């Protein structure tokens, strides 16, 4: 039975599927049936007489190509085993094998896996005698990562280091030498890593016209999935494979190009029309995932992109709840607000149907703490779990010892941070500390000054018993040089996690309660595998390609989303905008955006006001329902346009009185120089009333602040 393309496809999908010949670019908006379009086009080509062996389907995972070919086979009621489908790398490998003599590999070559490649990088470093005895020198995994990035982005190693590994800049010259030695070793031993496969195939096709002619004669139609994720060499390979007939169909979405850190180049899809003049462009804009209110918001996010293919997502699901923008008092209270919203969402959705997304892994730490406290199961994807991070455990060990000097495991963890102390010595020193064996402690401390410093820190914490925030400040200050030595490759990322830990400690007044909460363990990842009652926590990069009925996105403020580095370059800000678009389009029915009004700044030891993400500021008010957190932690909807007026600009920011405002002594308790309490700043003395609804308050650790009344709890006179 012939396939009915008119009834099975919407008009845009049909236009892409029925396109006859020549270059075709399909801009497939999120949730627009991209895979369905590719499957039907595969079937259409065969139905129109193209032999399966003349079709090449390039994808980014083998599973994707296998699924597409299987679905096309089902449509045609015949096998498509002769069609070629797979990743760029697997295709390159097969062609280098096929034309080994032309490629200069007549005697064979070996493909290295990651383990082989890291071993060879290590050998290159050792041959050059670089970094010997220098614990801060990048480890071999990071060396390979830098070399691979430089290759994929086709940039010099020192350029990659300056842009993405600035803390390793002193080693840039050495890293360049290692990259050169690594390349020489590969060539000498006929070894190729995954990156080499693509470049070697390109070299072969350019250098050997007869090989290129055979390849393009074999594959008359080339289809490429996720074209927005191609790097520079992949795009050049596509152009070579298209040949003179130029029967290439690229499918992708410029708005979902979020992997620049891996080498993906959004310019490939944006410049498709210049690469293939006369190319047809079809836009898939009908969405089959989200409600129209969610799509209205995501359309607005893309409006201010510098370079893009214009598209307007729409759906037949016209009804649905407005997305919500929840403005919380701080990043600390944000986690509690997420829990309140979670309780509401669970009335309509199972736990596994709800996802919390974030820009960076450390941003979920406060939420993980709340989930652990309440025993809510969760699974985390992308970024390490709060309770599993080595640097978090290291710092907490000092605090544990301040509370319980007999904590053997904490002693071991703290002591093994000292160079030269292994498990055996750590056990001996720990036992001496627990039993009060001063002579043994003195003997070991004399040999290792760092040990004496650790013992002094623990003794100080035990004697002073400071509040958790102060205790962490002391512990992190001591630990930071150790962190840089233990983790030279990624200590800036880990430092962000420690700063987040400091923020978590702000509401606590004693070490015992703080440690009790952060030590509560959520069931392990393995234990939760396959469970259907676990909340999903995920970085946005890990969430691409997935969807949930309800999605919450947290930390939508400057410096966090977009990241601080992205604010410095227009192209990086564009990618952050696309990341926001990807996050929002994961939602089917409910979308909730969280915007803290202040975040904890560790070096200032306090919360400071912060600007909302520009992606939120750009949204028209009619696109969302605004919700604010009140002093008691309750969330309340704010009236929208045309409804009862409400003050929407309440801020925790200290500022001068606006012109025209009167400052008068407050009546009642305040007139008697009364006191109040604020959720972040603590207890303060009321100085004056600023009509109509603000107070000037002097907080002991923060000075004068002007605060809206709803955020203050007044003490009885």
């Amino acid at each position: 039975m012939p396939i009915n393309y008119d009834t099975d496809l919407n008009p845009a999908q049909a236009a892409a599927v029925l396109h006859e010949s020549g270059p075709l670019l399909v801009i497939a908006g999120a949730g627009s049936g991209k895979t369905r379009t590719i499957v039907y086009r595969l079937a259409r080509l065969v139905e129109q007489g193209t032999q399966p062996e003349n079709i090449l389907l390039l994808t980014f995972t083998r599973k994707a190509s296998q699924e597409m070919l299987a679905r096309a086979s089902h449509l045609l009621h015949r096998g498509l085993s002769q069609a070629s489908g797979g990743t760029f790398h697997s295709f390159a490998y097969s062609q280098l094998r096929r034309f080994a003599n032309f490629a200069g590999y007549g005697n064979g070559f070996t493909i290295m896996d990651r383990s082989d490649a890291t071993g060879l990088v290590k050998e290159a470093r050792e041959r050059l005698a670089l970094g010997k005895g220098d614990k801060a020198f990048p480890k071999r995994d990071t060396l390979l990562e830098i070399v691979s990035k430089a290759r994929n982005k086709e940039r010099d190693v020192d350029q990659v280091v300056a842009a993405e590994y600035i803390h390793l800049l002193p080693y840039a010259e050495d890293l360049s030498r290692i990259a050169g030695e690594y390349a020489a070793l590969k060539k000498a031993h006929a070894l190729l890593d995954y990156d080499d496969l693509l470049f070697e195939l390109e070299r072969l096709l350019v250098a050997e016209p007869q090989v290129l002619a055979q390849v393009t004669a074999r594959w008359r139609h080339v289809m490429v999935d996720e074209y927005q994720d191609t790097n520079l060499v992949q795009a050049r390979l596509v152009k070579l494979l298209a040949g003179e007939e130029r029967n290439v169909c690229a499918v992708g979405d410029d708005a979902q190009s979020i992997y620049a850190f891996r080498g993906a180049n959004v310019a490939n899809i944006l410049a498709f029309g210049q690469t293939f003049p006369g190319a047809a462009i079809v836009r898939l804009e009908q969405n089959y995932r989200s409600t129209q209110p969610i799509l209205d918001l995501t359309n607005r996010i893309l409006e201010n992109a510098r370079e893009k293919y214009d598209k307007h997502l729409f759906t037949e699901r016209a009804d649905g709840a407005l997305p919500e923008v929840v403005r919380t008092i701080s990043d600390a209270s944000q986690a509690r607000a997420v829990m309140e919203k979670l309780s509401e969402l669970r009335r309509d959705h199972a736990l596994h149907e709800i996802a919390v997304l974030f820009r960076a892994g450390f941003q979920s730490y406060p939420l993980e703490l709340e989930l652990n406290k309440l025993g809510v199961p969760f699974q985390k994807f992308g970024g390490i779990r709060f309770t599993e991070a080595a640097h978090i455990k290291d710092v907490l060990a000092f605090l544990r010892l301040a509370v319980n000097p007999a904590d053997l495991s904490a002693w071991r963890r703290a002591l093994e941070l000292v160079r030269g102390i292994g498990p055996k010595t750590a056990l001996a020193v720990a036992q001496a500390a627990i039993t009060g064996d001063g002579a043994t402690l003195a003997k070991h401390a004399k040999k290792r000054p760092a040990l004496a410093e650790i013992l002094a820190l623990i003794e100080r914490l035990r004697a002073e018993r400071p509040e958790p925030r102060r205790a962490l400040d002391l512990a992190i200050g001591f630990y930071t040089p150790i962190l840089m030595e233990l983790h030279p490759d990624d200590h800036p990322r880990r430092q962000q996690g420690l700063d987040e830990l400091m923020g978590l400690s702000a509401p606590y007044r004693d070490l015992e309660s703080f440690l009790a909460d952060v030590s509560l363990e959520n069931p392990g990842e393995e234990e939760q595998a396959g469970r259907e009652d676990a909340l999903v926590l995920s970085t946005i990069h890990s969430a691409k390609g997935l969807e949930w009925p309800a999605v919450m996105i947290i930390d939508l403020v400057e410096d966090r989303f977009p990241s601080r580095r992205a604010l410095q370059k227009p192209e990086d800000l564009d990618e952050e905008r696309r990341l926001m678009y990807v996050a929002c389009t994961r939602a089917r029915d409910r979308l909730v955006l969280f915007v803290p009004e202040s975040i904890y700044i560790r070096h200032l030891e306090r919360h400071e006001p912060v600007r909302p993400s520009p992606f939120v500021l750009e949204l028209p008010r009619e696109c969302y329902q605004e919700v604010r957190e009140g002093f008691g932690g309750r969330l309340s909807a704010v009236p929208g346009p045309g409804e009862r007026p409400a003050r929407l600009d309440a801020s925790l920011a200290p500022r001068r009185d606006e012109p025209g405002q009167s400052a008068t002594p407050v009546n009642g308790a305040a007139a008697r120089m009364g006191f109040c309490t604020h959720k972040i700043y603590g207890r303060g003395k009321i100085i004056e009333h600023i009509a109509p609804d603000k107070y000037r308050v002097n907080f002991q650790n923060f000075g004068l602040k002007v605060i809206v009344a709803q955020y203050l709890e007044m003490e009885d006179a």
Side-chain angles (χ1 to χ4, degrees), residues 321-342:
L322 272 178
E324 295 178 54
V325 172
V326 180
R327 302 184 188 276
T328 66
I329 293 175
S330 70
D331 53 347
S333 65
Q334 174 183 245
R336 294 188 291 275
V338 171
M339 295 301 293
E340 182 174 339
K341 187 57 64 175
L342 177 64

Side-chain angles (χ1 to χ4, degrees), residues 298-346:
T298 57
N299 286 332
R300 290 288 194 164
I301 290 170
L302 292 182
E303 279 186 358
N304 290 322
R306 291 184 314 138
E307 294 183 280
K308 63 181 184 296
Y309 286 99
D310 289 327
K311 55 180 168 292
H312 186 85
L313 298 182
F314 66 94
T315 180
E316 294 179 354
R317 299 183 63 201
D319 297 329
L322 272 178
E324 295 178 54
V325 172
V326 180
R327 302 184 188 276
T328 66
I329 293 175
S330 70
D331 53 347
S333 65
Q334 174 183 245
R336 294 188 291 275
V338 171
M339 295 301 293
E340 182 174 339
K341 187 57 64 175
L342 177 64
S343 296
E344 176 193 323
L345 293 173
R346 289 189 69 181

Side-chain angles (χ1 to χ4, degrees), residues 588-603:
R588 293 206 294 263
D589 306 309
R590 296 289 301 275
L591 175 64
V592 187
L593 312 178
F594 286 84
V595 184
E597 294 187 331
S598 66
I599 61 174
Y600 188 80
I601 308 298
R602 186 175 77 85
H603 68 274

Side-chain angles (χ1 to χ4, degrees), residues 461-514:
L461 291 173
R462 288 176 59 189
E464 295 181 8
R465 293 301 288 270
E467 291 186 351
R469 187 172 61 186
R470 176 57 179 160
L472 277 174
D473 192 49
L474 291 170
I476 291 173
F478 173 80
Y479 179 71
T480 296
I482 299 173
L483 175 71
M484 297 174 68
E485 183 176 309
L486 289 177
H487 306 283
D489 309 327
D490 66 346
H491 66 79
R493 178 186 63 81
R494 292 175 186 265
Q495 187 66 54
Q496 286 181 308
L498 293 176
D499 290 348
E500 195 68 24
L501 182 65
M502 280 285 289
L504 288 178
S505 71
Y508 292 86
R509 292 294 170 261
D510 62 272
L511 286 172
E512 288 85 350
S513 57
F514 175 64

Side-chain angles (χ1 to χ4, degrees), residues 287 289-301 313 315 317-324 548-551 581 583-592 619 623:
N287 180 282
R289 175 186 302 155
S290 307
T291 63
Q292 192 60 50
I294 291 175
L295 297 181
D296 289 341
L297 183 143
T298 57
N299 286 332
R300 290 288 194 164
I301 290 170
L313 298 182
T315 180
R317 299 183 63 201
D319 297 329
L322 272 178
E324 295 178 54
W548 295 271
V551 168
Y581 167 82
C584 292
T585 54
R586 301 309 95 196
R588 293 206 294 263
D589 306 309
R590 296 289 301 275
L591 175 64
V592 187
L619 295 174
C623 279

Side-chain angles (χ1 to χ4, degrees), residues 415-453:
L415 294 170
E416 288 183 19
L417 295 174
V418 178
R419 184 183 299 184
I421 291 186
K424 186 176 179 180
T425 304
L427 178 60
V429 176
Q431 289 175 336
I434 292 170
T435 60
D437 184 353
T440 299
L441 290 177
K443 181 183 71 173
H444 285 284
K446 187 175 181 180
K447 292 180 182 177
R448 301 175 179 87
L451 172 58
E453 292 176 18

Side-chain angles (χ1 to χ4, degrees), residues 151-215:
R151 196 82 195 279
N152 277 292
K153 296 187 176 187
E154 300 184 30
R155 303 176 69 187
D156 293 337
V157 167
D158 57 351
Q159 291 177 313
V160 170
V161 172
E164 302 181 43
Y165 302 84
I166 194 166
H167 57 291
L168 299 179
L169 208 50
Y171 299 109
E173 184 178 343
D174 289 346
L175 299 181
S176 295
R177 291 180 61 197
I178 290 171
E181 183 67 16
Y182 173 67
L185 285 171
K186 287 188 294 181
K187 185 174 182 180
H189 299 284
L191 299 171
L192 300 180
D193 60 26
Y194 289 134
D195 301 325
D196 295 326
L197 291 171
L198 303 180
F199 289 98
E200 286 298 286
L201 177 59
E202 180 189 27
R203 183 182 63 80
L204 169 64
L205 297 179
V206 171
E208 302 291 343
Q210 66 272 40
V211 173
L212 178 61
Q214 289 186 57
V215 170

Side-chain angles (χ1 to χ4, degrees), residues 25 227 254 265-274 307-309 578:
L25 175 63
Y227 193 70
D254 57 298
N265 195 319
V266 70
N268 292 341
I269 193 169
L270 293 173
F272 190 87
Q274 287 76 50
E307 294 183 280
K308 63 181 184 296
Y309 286 99
R578 296 192 294 268

